[in-house]
Amino acid sequence: AYVNALLRNNPYLRAQSQFQRTRLDGRPALALALSGTSNVTGQTEQVTVYTALLRGGALFYLIQVAPRAQYGSYNQAFQTMLN
């Protein structure tokens, strides 16, 4: 539901893959890669959305966004966020 709302509110984004199982701070999580041309910057953005359920059922999410051409430059920082 969260990702569907994100896509509705940002119609320029398109899923680049199916959900992938991963881990977020040691917790089971799902990741989804999105991309699209930003209305603000005019650049193609690469977006990765991570979601995980916390104890009690609350949703935790993390969104990583960077210009596609520079995404590799952010990789180390993005990986640090996941651990």
Side-chain angles (χ1 to χ4, degrees):
Y2 173 76
V3 173
N4 288 337
L6 181 69
L7 291 170
R8 265 194 316 275
N9 291 319
N10 297 279
Y12 70 95
L13 291 174
R14 298 283 182 255
Q16 300 302 301
S17 66
Q18 298 293 319
F19 281 97
Q20 302 294 314
R21 292 183 190 275
T22 188
R23 299 197 74 76
L24 188 58
D25 193 29
R27 298 177 186 276
L30 294 174
L32 182 64
L34 309 170
S35 71
T37 303
S38 168
N39 298 333
V40 175
T41 66
Q43 295 184 38
T44 301
E45 294 179 336
Q46 182 68 39
V47 179
T48 307
V49 180
Y50 295 89
T51 58
L53 288 178
L54 302 176
R55 291 185 188 143
L59 178 69
F60 177 82
Y61 63 90
L62 171 70
I63 302 174
Q64 298 173 334
V65 181
R68 177 178 276 167
Q70 299 169 354
Y71 201 80
S73 300
Y74 292 88
N75 193 48
Q76 184 175 0
F78 286 167
Q79 290 304 311
T80 300
M81 291 177 186
L82 300 176
N83 299 317

